[in-house]
């Protein structure tokens, strides 16, 4: 059961970082959509001026709003930095636990050999 629970927890975390988080970071704020505009400089991040409608429109093909309106480069950089930092933390904690286990094993072996 523990293995199944861990699989569920890790899979749900991976799903969150692969699907909803990038959508949230890329979608523009709702207030930025529909504002009157003359060109793209009048619109906020994640939106562009629709010349026919004369209003700011969502750049994302799927639509949606309520996010931060970041560019693809910003979202990719954030997720890449997170993956690198998470890997460094995991590796350092693993190395620390292995070194503690190794030092305990060596001290136990040394104490056993001295007692003989």
């Amino acid at each position: 059961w523990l293995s199944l629970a861990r699989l569920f927890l890790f899979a749900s975390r991976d799903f969150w970082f692969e699907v909803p988080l990038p959508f949230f970071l890329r979608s523009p704020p709702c207030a930025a959509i529909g504002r009157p505009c003359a060109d793209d400089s009048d619109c906020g991040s994640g939106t562009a001026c629709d010349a026919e409608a004369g209003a700011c429109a969502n750049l994302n093909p799927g639509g949606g709003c309520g996010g931060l309106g970041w560019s693809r480069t910003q979202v990719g950089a954030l997720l890449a930095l997170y993956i690198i930092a998470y890997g460094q933390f995991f590796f350092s904690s693993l190395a620390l636990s292995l070194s503690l286990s190794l030092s305990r094993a060596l001290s136990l072996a040394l104490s056993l050999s001295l007692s003989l």
Side-chain angles (χ1 to χ4, degrees), residues 9-86:
L9 288 173
F10 286 122
S12 62
R13 181 201 61 198
D14 291 345
F15 176 78
W16 168 251
F17 278 99
E18 291 172 14
V19 180
L21 183 61
F23 277 109
F24 170 74
L25 294 174
R26 290 257 312 134
S27 65
C30 293
I33 298 175
R35 273 194 282 180
C37 64
D39 60 3
D40 288 343
S41 64
D42 297 334
C43 298
S45 61
T47 58
C49 187
D50 184 4
E52 293 175 11
C56 298
N58 194 343
L59 283 176
N60 298 321
C65 65
L68 301 179
W70 288 8
S71 69
R72 289 178 191 245
T73 307
Q74 290 172 317
V75 173
L78 174 75
L79 295 177
L81 289 173
Y82 172 80
I83 289 169
I84 292 168
Y86 184 82

